[in-house]
Amino acid sequence: EKQMRRTFAEAHRSTAKTGDLLVSLLERRLDAVVFRAGLARTIYQARQVVAHGHITVDGAKVDRPSYRVRPGQVVRVRESSRQKPPFQIAAAGAHVDGPTAPYLSTDLTELTTTLLREPERREVPVICDEQLVVEFYSR
C-alpha cells in the first residue's frame, strides 16, 4: 500500500495524464518486466523469482520485486539459476504466446531482456479503469 501511494504520488506530480503514467510506472516494476518478457509463467511466479534472488539488473543481483527498471537496463536470470527447471521451461518459450511487449528486447535462449523505453498505456494489456484508481488514491 505504501509503495503504491508513493508511485501514485509520483504519477500525480507529473504533467502527463496521471492514470496512463501510473500504469507505465507499474509496468516498469522488475516483477512485471520479468513476467512480460516470458521469464516467468505468472506475475506471482515472477515476484517469487525476483524475491529469491534469481534475477540481475545490469549484472547486479536485485531481489526487490518493486525495483523500477529504467530504459536501457538489462534484466537477466543469474548464471547459477539458469539450469533450474522453471528457467529451462522459460528458455524454451513456453510462457510466450506471441511477440513480447514492444518496449522490451527479449532473448529467451539467453534468458535476458532489455527495457528499450518506457511503456505506453496502449501497449499494456491490463484491463482497468485508471480514472477510478486515480480518484481512489486522490482522496
Side-chain angles (χ1 to χ4, degrees):
E1 176 69 22
K2 188 184 284 186
Q3 179 71 33
M4 181 62 183
R5 287 205 179 273
R6 249 183 272 145
T7 302
F8 173 77
E10 182 179 339
H12 192 65
R13 282 191 303 268
S14 171
T15 57
K17 190 174 172 189
T18 303
D20 291 351
L21 184 58
L22 181 62
V23 171
S24 178
L25 290 172
L26 292 173
E27 196 66 12
R28 285 176 41 208
R29 284 175 51 111
L30 183 56
D31 55 355
V33 169
V34 167
F35 173 63
R36 295 285 182 224
L39 300 176
R41 185 172 47 87
T42 64
I43 190 68
Y44 308 107
Q45 184 183 34
R47 183 177 177 82
Q48 184 177 34
V49 160
V50 172
H52 286 203
H54 295 293
I55 302 295
T56 65
V57 177
D58 289 341
K61 181 177 101 171
V62 178
D63 58 6
R64 254 186 37 237
S66 64
Y67 175 89
R68 189 170 306 144
V69 180
R70 294 183 311 273
Q73 287 189 309
V74 178
V75 175
R76 71 177 29 144
V77 175
R78 290 178 65 192
E79 204 61 48
S80 59
S81 302
R82 290 171 180 257
Q83 297 309 313
K84 296 187 182 299
F87 301 115
Q88 291 296 302
I89 293 168
H95 308 317
V96 181
D97 293 336
T100 57
Y103 48 87
L104 294 175
S105 173
T106 304
D107 182 351
L108 284 177
T109 58
E110 291 296 318
L111 295 170
T112 183
T113 190
T114 303
L115 182 66
L116 301 173
R117 58 179 169 73
E118 294 190 13
E120 296 176 21
R121 174 59 185 110
R122 61 183 169 74
E123 299 170 326
V124 180
V126 173
I127 300 169
C128 170
D129 186 349
E130 302 88 31
Q131 188 55 38
L132 292 177
V133 177
V134 169
E135 288 173 14
F136 177 82
Y137 281 103
S138 293
R139 300 187 280 146

